[in-house]
């Protein structure tokens, strides 16, 4: 899967692409992440990429010209791979990211262009012209889309087969609509607190039952909405 990121702050992606699991996925050629500077595409003689909004109001709007040219360039660079291309804009106005959205993207046969906005947003005509999908990472406003873009790519890439073991994915929070049970490792005793005996029993069925109960307890405590609204992820192939 190929991602082309359009941003005004390329340097914010340096650590993301060169660390840990994302770096491994890139090194294994499972994904590629190209980061383009939108400013390189401006035709403005002062290299400006943003202007005040028509109709008045506070802040600046990212102009359609550099962004449109950056998208056209990214589309051209991806066309040779003969896969459909989807364009996403990270925006507090978008639909809110969850496990199902990340899973669907990870299973999709598309390549992705992701726009990171800044200032008060982007010219609406970009969204209309390029059939852009808007995704938010939560009901709050960030100073720019870069962190949101990394959250989206991270949550997607780790679900692509071959990136991390299926076993690690199968028990983690949200995969089965519940939050993950508590985990323990060495030492056996920490500040007088011991690991629950059942986990040392070697009895797999009892451990599985205990963990299921703990999952439900933690979900009721932290996210009762998941149980009440039954936000259960779709099963594979459905
Ligand atoms: N850009 C600014 N705020 C955002 C949010 N909540 N989600 C995605 N992109 C954003």
């Amino acid at each position: 899967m190929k991602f082309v990121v359009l941003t005004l702050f390329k340097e914010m992606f340096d650590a993301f692409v060169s660390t840990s699991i994302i770096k491994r996925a890139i090194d294994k050629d499972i994904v590629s992440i190209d980061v383009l500077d939108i400013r390189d595409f401006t035709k403005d003689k002062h290299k400006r990429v943003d202007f005040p909004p028509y109709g008045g109001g506070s802040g600046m709007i990212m102009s359609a010209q550099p962004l449109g040219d950056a998208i056209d360039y990214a589309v051209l660079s991806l066309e040779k791979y003969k896969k459909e291309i989807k364009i996403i804009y990270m925006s507090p106005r978008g639909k809110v990211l969850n496990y199902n959205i990340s899973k669907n993207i990870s299973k999709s046969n598309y390549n992705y262009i992701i726009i990171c906005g800044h200032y008060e947003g982007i010219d609406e005509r970009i969204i209309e012209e390029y059939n852009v999908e808007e995704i938010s990472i939560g009901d709050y406003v960030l100073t720019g889309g870069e962190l949101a873009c990394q959250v989206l790519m991270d949550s997607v890439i780790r679900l692509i087969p071959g990136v991390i073991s299926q076993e690690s994915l199968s028990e983690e929070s949200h995969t089965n609509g519940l939050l993950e049970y508590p985990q323990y490792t060495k030492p056996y005793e920490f500040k007088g607190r011991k690991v629950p005996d059942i986990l040392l029993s070697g009895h797999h069925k009892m451990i599985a039952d205990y963990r299921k109960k703990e999952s439900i307890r933690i979900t009721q405590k932290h996210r009762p909405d998941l149980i009440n609204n039954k936000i259960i992820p779709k099963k594979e192939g459905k």
Side-chain angles (χ1 to χ4, degrees):
M1 181 174 289
K2 305 206 172 290
F3 295 94
V4 179
V5 176
L6 309 181
T7 172
L8 290 169
F9 298 94
K10 273 180 81 164
E11 62 280 11
M12 285 183 74
F13 291 85
D14 292 349
F16 182 70
V17 299
S18 59
T19 314
S20 185
I21 289 170
I22 302 301
K23 178 181 188 312
R24 234 175 37 222
I26 294 170
D27 290 347
K28 283 201 217 164
D29 250 349
I30 298 172
V31 293
S32 71
I33 301 174
D34 286 335
V35 186
L36 301 180
D37 187 342
I38 298 165
R39 203 176 295 278
D40 288 343
F41 294 87
T42 182
K43 295 192 168 108
D44 181 75
K45 62 174 185 273
H46 303 296
K47 288 253 157 209
R48 285 186 66 174
V49 290
D50 59 305
F51 296 94
Y54 278 115
S58 66
M60 303 293 255
I61 307 300
M62 282 171 70
S63 163
Q65 179 276 311
L67 205 42
D69 284 5
I71 294 172
D72 293 342
Y73 180 90
V75 168
L76 267 179
S77 77
L78 287 174
E79 263 171 0
K80 58 176 173 285
Y81 300 107
K82 309 255 180 270
K83 278 192 183 176
E84 271 197 71
I85 299 163
K86 277 222 166 155
I87 305 177
I88 292 172
Y89 168 45
M90 303 312 305
S91 156
R93 220 171 68 164
K95 73 176 169 209
V96 180
L97 185 65
N98 61 26
Y99 177 84
N100 280 340
I101 295 175
S102 299
K103 183 78 189 167
N104 285 338
I105 296 177
S106 78
K107 288 191 301 189
S108 74
N109 201 22
Y110 296 113
N111 287 323
Y112 289 87
I113 296 170
I114 307 182
I115 304 167
C116 304
H118 256 268
Y119 316 117
E120 293 300 313
I122 66 175
D123 191 303
E124 188 70 18
R125 290 167 293 183
I126 289 290
I127 292 168
E128 296 162 4
E129 174 69 18
Y130 293 96
N131 195 19
V132 172
E133 183 179 352
E134 294 179 68
I135 295 183
S136 164
I137 60 160
D139 294 337
Y140 42 81
V141 180
L142 302 165
T143 52
E146 285 74 13
L147 293 176
C149 171
Q150 291 175 33
V151 168
L152 173 66
M153 289 195 295
D154 191 290
S155 69
V156 168
I157 291 169
R158 62 194 300 289
L159 295 176
I160 299 176
V163 175
I164 52 182
S165 82
Q166 283 310 110
E167 200 191 351
S168 329
L169 295 177
S170 67
E171 303 253 289
E172 69 184 10
S173 294
H174 299 292
T175 36
N176 58 1
L178 295 172
L179 302 181
E180 193 176 2
Y181 47 78
Q183 296 272 30
Y184 304 86
T185 186
K186 288 182 181 177
Y188 170 69
E189 190 170 335
F190 172 72
K191 294 190 189 267
R193 295 168 187 274
K194 295 184 178 136
V195 174
D197 285 339
I198 181 104
L199 299 176
L200 292 110
S201 68
H203 196 300
H204 298 305
K205 166 87 174 73
M206 272 161 60
I207 292 173
D209 289 348
Y210 165 79
R211 285 177 162 168
K212 183 75 196 268
K213 270 198 208 122
E214 283 294 283
S215 258
I216 293 169
R217 181 183 67 78
I218 297 269
T219 310
Q220 290 276 21
K221 183 171 167 213
H222 296 178
R223 293 290 306 278
D225 57 303
L226 291 180
I227 290 177
N228 299 338
N229 299 341
K230 295 208 178 8
I231 305 174
I232 308 290
K234 294 185 190 83
K235 286 253 158 35
E236 293 292 322
K238 291 211 172 154

